[in-house]
Amino acid sequence: MSDKTTSVIDLDWDAFDPWRIQPFRHRLTEHPLLQTEQLVELGKRCRGTKLWYAFSSDATAGTDFDDASNLFPTSKSAVDSLKDISSAKAWVLLRHIQADPTYRELVGAVINSMQPMIERKDPGVYYRAGWIFSASPNTATPFHIDRSHVFLLQVRGTKTVYVWDAEDTQVCSDRARDCFHFRHDLSRTLWSEEFRARAHVFELGPGMGVYMPLTSPHMVETSKESSTTISFTYNTDATRRNARVHVMREMLYKLGMTPPDYGKSRVFDQAAFAAASAIVVCRGPGAHPPACPSLRQKSAYAVAD
Ligand SMILES: [Fe+2]
């Protein structure tokens, strides 16, 4: 596990494309830190912090992921839900597990083991983070996008993961990504049942996983059994470039201008990246926009926000 030269992920690295959704297999199902007792202990250490969310299983694919008032707080605490997730009627997200020294080692070991292979195609890995989801049976994780590349690993139970291509603008428009990168606004990332027909669908069991590029829309449904998943996320030079272009696009919209579609004008995208980068430098760390600290600083690990 601590061997940085052996990846725990089995993936055809020669065929790896950082902008393509890909399934893989992994060897983390029996890892001690991913067993229920250790997750409960992590949950206890997260008490009183913003490092966890717990929601009832009433959430659906179309629930607004960004609005906590829509997410039906569970009647049980996160720790109680983790102790007996099979009957909790909840899903619990332990966020930014790299903020915990023990789990930071796990995040570092897994991502560092993949880093040489990733960087052959996608240089500049930074902003490492980990996220653990425990979900009761028949639970949905609402449709949303994320601000990093994601390796999602199924540890226990089964679930169905629906993922759409990062460049699928019918499912998630350029403007939705602009708003998301500018201020983490998911109000334009809206679910429609019709999307299912054009999704990449993965039935994941223990030892299976799926790689999702930056802002690939996704939605997850658990089966009749409870589920535990861990995601390892990171950013690269390319994700930062992509996100900064989207930030600049949103600023232009606010000025009443309409930029060309993302990726359709190399000249515009290069100018937008340069302008956004200059703004980030001028504003300095902590300023807005952009929303995500990863666009302002290249730290090895993500900042828990
Ligand atoms: Fe996600």
Side-chain angles (χ1 to χ4, degrees):
M1 182 57 252
S2 59
D3 181 358
K4 292 186 170 67
T5 64
T6 306
S7 175
V8 297
I9 307 287
D10 289 331
L11 186 148
D12 182 356
W13 289 105
D14 288 335
F16 175 65
D17 176 347
W19 295 101
R20 187 169 62 83
I21 297 159
Q22 290 147 93
F24 59 83
R25 299 199 70 90
H26 70 86
R27 290 182 290 277
L28 277 187
T29 53
E30 304 304 320
H31 194 285
L33 291 180
L34 300 180
Q35 308 313 308
T36 300
E37 307 74 40
Q38 287 302 311
L39 297 184
V40 169
E41 292 305 310
L42 176 61
K44 289 178 183 173
R45 297 200 291 278
C46 291
R47 274 180 179 147
T49 74
K50 294 189 294 180
L51 296 176
W52 60 272
Y53 293 147
F55 302 119
S56 87
S57 53
D58 294 338
T60 68
T63 300
D64 183 347
F65 203 34
D66 226 12
D67 184 349
S69 66
N70 282 335
L71 284 168
F72 317 107
T74 171
S75 58
K76 290 186 172 181
S77 72
V79 169
D80 286 343
S81 296
L82 285 168
K83 280 180 185 166
D84 186 13
I85 195 67
S86 61
S87 65
K89 293 188 177 172
W91 62 260
V92 178
L93 166 59
L94 296 169
R95 310 171 64 239
H96 284 297
I97 61 170
Q98 77 285 352
D100 184 272
T102 303
Y103 282 83
R104 189 186 191 93
E105 278 188 33
L106 174 65
V107 171
V110 171
I111 296 180
N112 293 345
S113 74
M114 299 189 287
Q115 187 171 349
M117 289 80 83
I118 293 170
E119 293 206 336
R120 279 193 259 149
K121 310 282 179 71
D122 196 9
V125 169
Y126 73 108
Y127 222 64
R128 296 159 181 80
W131 316 75
I132 295 173
F133 301 82
S134 288
S136 300
N138 303 310
T139 306
T141 302
F143 180 71
H144 68 284
I145 54 179
D146 290 323
R147 49 187 154 160
S148 303
H149 290 326
V150 178
F151 275 88
L152 184 153
L153 286 65
Q154 186 67 16
V155 177
R156 276 186 295 285
T158 55
K159 61 168 51 167
T160 305
V161 180
Y162 298 81
V163 196
W164 293 264
D165 292 323
E167 64 270 21
D168 188 336
T169 52
Q170 290 192 44
V171 168
C172 182
S173 67
D174 281 344
R175 191 75 203 277
R177 291 186 170 87
D178 299 341
C179 295
F180 176 70
H181 286 299
F182 187 81
R183 57 177 178 276
H184 285 172
D185 178 358
L186 284 168
S187 62
R188 291 176 186 265
T189 305
L190 299 175
W191 169 249
S192 166
E193 280 294 329
E194 295 170 7
F195 293 165
R196 288 183 194 263
R198 52 191 295 131
H200 300 266
V201 183
F202 300 93
E203 307 281 350
L204 297 187
M208 303 168 72
V210 59
Y211 169 78
M212 302 185 286
L214 175 75
T215 64
S216 300
H218 50 286
M219 187 273 288
V220 179
E221 292 173 336
T222 58
S223 66
K224 291 184 205 155
E225 54 185 334
S226 57
S227 163
T228 299
T229 302
I230 184 166
S231 288
F232 296 97
T233 66
Y234 58 90
N235 291 86
T236 66
D237 293 345
T239 68
R240 190 171 56 158
R241 172 176 292 269
N242 175 301
R244 283 186 176 177
V245 172
H246 280 292
V247 167
M248 195 66 226
R249 289 169 49 85
E250 181 62 9
M251 295 180 78
L252 293 175
Y253 273 114
K254 287 179 171 301
L255 293 171
M257 295 181 237
T258 303
D261 292 346
Y262 181 89
K264 293 294 185 287
S265 168
R266 191 179 175 87
V267 172
F268 172 83
D269 287 354
Q270 285 179 340
F273 172 66
S277 301
I279 289 167
V280 169
V281 169
C282 290
R283 287 183 166 233
H288 283 272
C292 183
S294 69
L295 301 185
R296 301 192 297 267
Q297 62 196 57
K298 281 192 77 174
S299 53
Y301 289 87
V303 177
D305 56 354

